[in-house]
Amino acid sequence: MNKQNQGPLVHIVKRGALPWYCAWGIRAAAIVLALLACALVTTLLTGEDPIQIYATMIKGAFGTTRKVWILFQNIAILLCVSLAVTPAFKMRFWNIGGEGQVLIGGLATAACMICLGDKLPNWLLICTMVAASIAAGAIWAVIPAIFKAKWNTNETLFTLMMNYVATQLVAFFVILWEVPKGAGKIGIINQSTEAGWLPQIGDYKYLLNILIVAALTILMYVYLNYSKHGYEIAVVGESERTARYVGIKVEKVIIRTMLLSGAVCGIAGLLLVGGTDHTITTTIANGRGFTAVMVSWLAKFNPIFMIFTSFLLVFLDRGASEISTVFGLNQSFADILTGIILFFIIGCEFFISYKISFRKSARKEGKANV
Amino acid sequence: MDNKTAAVKMRNITKTFGSVVANDKVWLDIYRGEILALLGENGSGKTTLMNMLSGIYFPDEGEISIDGKEVVIRSPKDAYDLGIGMVHQHFKLVDVLTATENVVLGLKEKGKLDLKAAAAKIRAICDQYGFEVDPDQKIYDMSVSQKQTVEIIKVLYRGADILILDEPTAVLTPQETDKLFAVLRNMRNDGKAIVIITHKMHEVEELSDRVAILRHGQFIGDMPTKSTNAQEMTNMMVGHAVTLNIDRPEPVDPKPRIEVKNLTVRSIDGVLKLDDVSFTANSGEILGIAGISGCGQKELLEAIAGLQPVESGSICYVEDNGEREELLGKDPLRIAEMGVALSFVPEDRLGMGLVANMDLADNMMLRSFRRGHSFFTDRKSPRKLAEAVVKELDVNTPGISTQVRKLSGGNVQKVLVGREISSAPTVLLTAYAVRGLDINSSYTIYDLINRQKAAGVAVIYVGEDLDVLLELADRILVLCGGKVSGIVEGRGAQKRDVGMMMTRLGGSKADE
């Protein structure tokens, strides 16, 4: 049989819908494979025992009660930012300005705490902080939205640039408000009076944040899936022409959705500054505006799934920094492991939609005999 | 005729997409010096079968042999090497390049690129078969039929002698179709094997030597065209007897419903799309709109639906009691709020009429989701409506939670039309309502439109198949280059006259 007569060695075939347990089986297999690949890389590069590395990762995330609280606090803030960018993404509006919107929300919170801390009763101060942070985040997000709606500018570049503006603004105010003069940072705001600090539930410093974000998750899920606004967002995202055809005002939906997106980012800033850190720095958002993009995509824009994807990313991050300290490894090594695991997780989606068929040599031979 | 050997033998070809079996153990023979018409309803697997022959898909099972030798076609390049070329329904040309540049694009010939020699070779091909195309003309300057010619030349230039054409006449005027058929006959007489996929029965009878019929992915049979007729072929395609007559009941109590006066529309680039168009559409009547594609049909319907900015003129909606309301300058939402029940089946079903990635139930909501004062959408009634549409229009779908993009063209159209008429419209605008639909689905749609007409709806029907327009419409408005070329009575109108009016203002009057 000549060469021409052989079929391609592999070809890719689209699958029908897989039952959910198969799909999750593939995902689980991907994680196992990722861990094996990480183990191999670890042993080859560092000579450390991979089992110990994994144990350390888990210890880093869950080792003590404090660590568990920090884990959940980090999940809550990341999830909050992810919830914020999701409606925009569902509308195919690539808001990668979450970072800046969080920063500006945090800046507004800090401004209220510093300037009004001793002038208003605490409950009124907190109300002002909430309003100011939401408004600031919303304004930061709506500027690119207006430009997109009116002049069809590129929202990706615009929101990205707004991040830098926000960072510089924060840097400016940090110098303006620095305590003590010349320190280059603000320090804990209202440390003696605790004015404007969000109330603590019992002894649990992070519980309020976690509860607020849990409520937001449910609200966002309902908003996106059951409200008229959510439906409009989905239609605009899928096809602007269809939206216009049924009389949806696309410009209005873009602006409204970005106001919401920015507002939720503003809340994340409020929780960071008013709830936990009680200070502001240019790095307070810590790249979450970008990590949120990944959280949202991995969960296919479903707020409930985003709980798991944000858990995964925060767990990897916490675990990775633990191994870099315990084993004296470079932080980059932890990033390599995170990268490998994400590669497998994202890559396995391909095998859920497609299957790969190999050439059946038996069939060919059988036919040749006929 | 009898001692011809098959150029292509396809045996036991099976292809599945997920759980959908597109081709199920199909046998097909293609002979040289013969035009084979491949028939079948939408979703019967014609295009899939031909895509496997031209190397776009790879069969799951089965063998293909060319001139008696078993071959494996892994890519379009393999197909070209075997002399197989396919002209797709949607042209794949680069607009800013010339015909010659498009033809040589992607060819890996040795030596320097010699456009002059290529142009000469193209001219030779044109002379041989009677094509009319200028090799140096840019694609964006070309008419649809010229673009198609370039696609055919592209295939011939690569030395194809087995040609597959997927619905080549869908975009052509009657005159252009005649020219294409003449060329195809020349190629057949030259010994090439030609396969044409089409839904138009009279074309099959006029052009083909043999027909092969697929149904639900299975091969039903083939026979010489001479020994069969449209009725028999249709029955084989559908699997049971169907009647091939389009009803045209007399309009009942027609009253003016939409009055368009001196309508002028320019595109964003400032090109005049509609020039001083005036007409009246009556209730209980089907007003057919004929014209070469791109003569302002789309702009006309979209202007009435409130989607197209208008330069000047007026569009009046006349209510039963004679009250008139201006629709111009209002968006679809305002028009609906005014109480004008206007339904619009646009040309671009999945890009405009429906959301491809949403399921049937969610698509039913598109028009009605604003109803009620609740912040939340009502999910129950769209589901009911979807179930009703699926049942009444016999939509072939696994369920109402299936994304519409997974349905075949005919079923997509049924979903769209079903939704649009569910709101009890007084005006129904349809653009190419049966484009790409098989006979059975087409007749379902004609029947639905006729029922709307009987219910007193003013129907504006933009069509491309003149035979259908002449049978279905009460009056036909012919557009030519954005101007009204004439309005004729549907009963007794001659195809030739209407065809003339499509290409020249006023038609035969100016011609003779």
Side-chain angles (χ1 to χ4, degrees):
Chain A
M1 195 168 274
N2 61 18
K3 201 165 172 256
Q4 172 70 47
N5 258 355
Q6 294 197 336
L9 187 60
V10 288
H11 72 277
I12 295 163
V13 182
K14 201 166 168 58
R15 280 185 207 270
L18 273 181
W20 63 270
Y21 51 86
C22 279
W24 285 101
I26 290 175
R27 292 192 180 106
I31 291 179
V32 172
L33 280 175
L35 293 179
L36 289 177
C38 286
L40 192 69
V41 169
T42 314
T43 328
L44 287 179
L45 292 183
T46 66
E48 304 282 356
D49 175 8
I51 304 289
Q52 275 198 347
I53 297 252
Y54 291 145
T56 315
M57 275 181 93
I58 292 171
K59 226 187 285 166
F62 297 106
T64 62
T65 322
R66 200 183 102 81
K67 280 186 170 155
V68 174
W69 276 114
I70 292 178
L71 179 80
F72 279 105
Q73 150 74 5
N74 280 342
I75 291 173
I77 300 294
L78 179 61
L79 183 56
C80 186
V81 184
S82 313
L83 289 172
V85 293
T86 299
F89 283 173
K90 243 193 146 169
M91 199 176 61
R92 301 279 196 276
F93 183 106
W94 307 122
N95 175 19
I96 52 170
E99 192 86 356
Q101 289 147 26
V102 172
L103 266 179
I104 276 298
L107 182 65
T109 312
C112 290
M113 288 164 79
I114 291 169
C115 302
L116 305 171
D118 43 8
K119 298 190 181 75
L120 292 178
N122 205 27
W123 65 270
L124 189 57
L125 175 61
I126 289 178
C127 290
T128 320
M129 281 158 52
V130 172
S133 62
I134 288 178
I139 289 170
W140 219 246
V142 85
I143 296 170
I146 290 171
F147 276 77
K148 168 84 177 178
K150 299 273 182 225
W151 299 288
N152 198 25
T153 53
N154 181 318
E155 76 276 10
T156 315
L157 280 176
F158 208 132
T159 50
L160 183 68
M161 291 305 164
M162 291 296 278
N163 288 340
Y164 298 107
V165 180
T167 311
Q168 294 309 315
L169 267 180
V170 172
F172 172 79
F173 281 104
V174 165
I175 301 300
L176 195 69
W177 292 329
E178 62 186 353
V179 182
K181 281 287 164 212
K185 59 181 183 184
I186 293 183
I188 303 296
I189 304 168
N190 301 342
Q191 188 150 30
S192 52
T193 60
E194 296 196 357
W197 291 23
L198 295 186
Q200 198 168 315
I201 301 176
D203 291 335
Y204 309 112
K205 189 182 173 196
Y206 301 128
L207 189 59
L208 180 72
N209 283 2
I210 294 166
L211 290 178
I212 289 176
V213 175
L216 273 178
T217 311
I218 294 165
L219 286 177
M220 189 58 84
Y221 180 78
V222 172
Y223 178 79
L224 287 178
N225 290 291
Y226 297 102
S227 77
K228 290 177 183 173
H229 286 185
Y231 184 74
E232 287 185 335
I233 290 172
V235 174
V236 170
E238 291 291 342
S239 162
E240 271 192 32
R241 288 184 62 210
T242 308
R244 283 184 215 283
Y245 159 81
V246 295
I248 295 174
K249 291 196 174 52
V250 175
E251 293 79 12
K252 196 177 118 190
V253 175
I254 290 178
I255 290 172
R256 186 182 68 204
T257 307
M258 278 307 281
L259 277 172
L260 174 73
S261 188
V264 180
C265 276
I267 293 177
L270 170 80
L271 296 181
L272 274 174
V273 173
T276 52
D277 290 17
H278 307 130
T279 184
I280 186 153
T281 63
T282 51
T283 54
I284 196 166
N286 196 17
R288 288 190 185 94
F290 301 106
T291 317
V293 177
M294 202 150 56
V295 171
S296 188
W297 268 99
L298 278 175
K300 306 213 171 92
F301 311 136
N302 181 331
I304 305 295
F305 290 165
M306 276 156 51
I307 300 173
F308 299 103
T309 50
S310 53
F311 166 78
L312 177 78
L313 288 172
V314 172
F315 168 75
L316 286 176
D317 183 55
R318 300 281 305 162
S321 58
E322 181 80 5
I323 52 173
S324 46
T325 43
V326 170
F327 291 92
L329 297 171
N330 191 317
Q331 172 74 34
S332 308
F333 185 73
D335 289 342
I336 292 174
L337 295 190
T338 312
I340 291 174
I341 293 174
L342 285 178
F343 176 83
F344 275 87
I345 290 174
I346 297 170
C348 84
E349 296 297 318
F350 173 83
F351 293 94
I352 291 173
S353 327
Y354 300 94
K355 69 176 175 216
I356 291 183
S357 323
F358 292 94
R359 181 171 61 214
K360 292 179 211 147
S361 47
R363 181 183 62 101
K364 278 279 164 197
E365 279 159 19
K367 288 290 169 206
N369 294 336
V370 172
Chain B
M1 286 289 263
D2 298 317
N3 51 9
K4 265 189 277 185
T5 53
V8 178
K9 276 188 184 178
M10 300 178 91
R11 291 288 177 269
N12 275 323
I13 300 287
T14 298
K15 176 79 187 170
T16 56
F17 296 99
S19 57
V20 180
V21 183
N23 283 152
D24 185 8
K25 300 198 181 67
V26 174
W27 287 53
L28 188 70
D29 290 332
I30 302 169
Y31 296 93
R32 286 185 207 285
E34 193 176 83
I35 297 178
L36 172 73
L38 189 57
L39 296 178
E41 292 191 275
N42 292 115
S44 61
K46 306 174 299 271
T47 307
T48 307
L49 186 67
M50 289 302 112
N51 277 341
M52 282 188 277
L53 194 53
S54 58
I56 292 176
Y57 295 147
F58 187 77
D60 296 343
E61 274 170 44
E63 296 87 46
I64 301 173
S65 44
I66 307 283
D67 295 324
K69 236 173 69 184
E70 197 177 311
V71 294
V72 169
I73 304 168
R74 275 166 293 198
S75 67
K77 196 185 162 297
D78 284 359
Y80 274 130
D81 292 345
L82 293 164
I84 302 167
M86 182 158 173
V87 176
H88 294 272
Q89 218 171 338
H90 304 283
F91 304 144
K92 295 169 163 67
L93 297 168
V94 182
D95 263 356
V96 293
L97 300 184
T98 65
T100 310
E101 286 164 338
N102 264 289
V103 167
V104 298
L105 201 65
L107 276 181
K108 285 179 192 140
E109 281 176 335
K110 291 204 176 78
K112 261 202 321 195
L113 177 65
D114 187 353
L115 281 178
K116 274 200 186 121
K121 195 171 158 193
I122 289 171
R123 282 202 187 86
I125 293 173
C126 291
D127 292 344
Q128 190 183 350
Y129 298 112
F131 290 115
E132 286 167 23
V133 74
D134 174 6
D136 299 324
Q137 200 177 358
K138 302 268 191 199
I139 299 296
Y140 60 75
D141 270 341
M142 291 188 177
S143 70
V144 181
S145 116
Q146 284 171 310
K147 287 180 193 170
Q148 186 180 55
T149 310
V150 175
E151 284 281 9
I152 298 174
I153 292 173
K154 201 160 97 182
V155 170
L156 292 175
Y157 189 93
R158 285 158 166 76
D161 53 7
I162 301 164
L163 262 92
I164 307 160
L165 297 108
D166 192 357
E167 292 197 44
T169 60
V171 289
L172 303 182
T173 61
Q175 282 81 0
E176 289 168 335
T177 304
D178 287 344
K179 264 191 214 163
L180 173 71
F181 284 2
V183 168
L184 291 180
R185 286 193 193 99
N186 283 342
M187 292 200 283
R188 171 191 60 196
N189 298 340
D190 196 39
K192 293 193 185 306
I194 294 166
V195 182
I196 143 166
I197 300 178
T198 177
H199 286 305
K200 298 178 189 167
M201 277 301 157
H202 61 96
E203 291 180 356
V204 175
E205 292 180 312
E206 189 188 331
L207 180 71
S208 71
D209 303 303
R210 206 159 55 89
V211 292
I213 293 165
L214 295 181
R215 181 168 78 224
H216 302 316
Q218 288 172 328
F219 180 71
I220 299 300
D222 63 347
M223 59 216 148
T225 313
K226 266 179 268 167
S227 65
T228 181
N229 56 49
Q231 187 66 55
E232 190 191 4
M233 288 187 278
T234 312
N235 293 351
M236 283 176 79
M237 276 162 57
V238 179
H240 56 83
V242 275
T243 30
L244 281 186
N245 293 317
I246 304 176
D247 273 352
R248 179 160 48 192
E250 284 292 327
V252 183
D253 186 23
K255 274 189 252 168
R257 178 60 40 90
I258 293 275
E259 282 184 9
V260 174
K261 283 212 182 83
N262 312 102
L263 188 69
T264 301
V265 168
R266 265 177 216 282
S267 71
I268 298 170
D269 321 319
V271 179
L272 202 58
K273 283 293 184 180
L274 286 176
D275 188 2
D276 202 20
V277 170
S278 301
F279 66 92
T280 305
N282 295 325
S283 63
E285 189 186 83
I286 298 177
L287 175 68
I289 308 238
I292 303 169
S293 64
C295 273
Q297 298 96 320
K298 173 170 167 276
E299 286 77 10
L300 179 60
L301 291 193
E302 292 192 356
I304 298 174
L307 294 164
Q308 168 75 46
V310 167
E311 191 169 87
S312 63
S314 91
I315 301 169
C316 263
Y317 175 81
V318 189
E319 289 191 48
D320 280 339
N321 57 16
E323 252 179 68
R324 306 161 68 86
E325 292 192 82
E326 180 63 50
L327 299 185
L328 222 60
K330 302 196 169 82
D331 63 23
L333 194 55
R334 278 290 305 283
I335 293 177
E337 280 167 354
M338 278 158 50
V340 176
L342 192 133
S343 284
F344 179 22
V345 179
E347 177 182 351
D348 185 1
R349 293 162 205 161
L350 288 178
M352 188 169 189
L354 299 166
V355 179
N357 281 328
M358 286 187 177
D359 66 15
L360 265 67
D362 279 358
N363 268 296
M364 290 296 157
M365 280 167 55
L366 273 171
R367 287 279 189 200
S368 62
F369 76 96
R370 293 190 195 82
R371 235 175 259 159
H373 294 290
S374 162
F375 182 73
F376 298 103
T377 49
D378 168 17
R379 299 264 158 177
K380 271 193 203 128
S381 36
R383 293 190 76 83
K384 268 191 207 140
L385 176 58
E387 272 160 12
V389 167
V390 167
K391 203 166 147 228
E392 276 167 35
L393 305 189
D394 196 20
V395 180
N396 184 7
T397 168
I400 59 166
S401 306
T402 306
Q403 293 176 334
V404 288
R405 74 183 161 87
K406 292 189 176 154
L407 303 183
S408 71
N411 288 313
V412 168
Q413 186 68 326
K414 283 182 193 170
V415 171
L416 175 54
V417 174
R419 185 192 70 208
E420 288 300 299
I421 61 181
S422 71
S423 57
T426 52
V427 180
L428 175 62
L429 311 171
T430 68
Y432 308 109
V434 297
R435 175 180 283 176
L437 264 58
D438 56 61
I439 300 230
N440 212 16
S441 311
S442 299
Y443 277 75
T444 313
I445 301 290
Y446 301 145
D447 187 41
L448 284 173
I449 290 173
N450 264 328
R451 270 195 266 163
Q452 293 300 307
K453 167 182 162 183
V457 176
V459 180
I460 300 182
Y461 178 94
V462 174
E464 54 198 344
D465 191 336
L466 265 188
D467 296 285
V468 171
L469 270 177
L470 292 169
E471 276 187 71
L472 181 71
D474 297 296
R475 289 182 302 141
I476 300 172
L477 177 132
V478 188
L479 284 176
C480 174
K483 284 196 169 84
V484 178
S485 186
I487 299 181
V488 293
E489 282 295 319
R491 292 170 185 78
Q494 291 302 309
K495 186 177 177 186
R496 190 176 162 277
D497 299 338
V498 177
M500 285 292 184
M501 289 164 81
M502 281 163 69
T503 45
R504 200 173 296 200
L505 275 186
S508 48
K509 276 173 283 172
D511 193 48
E512 283 162 23

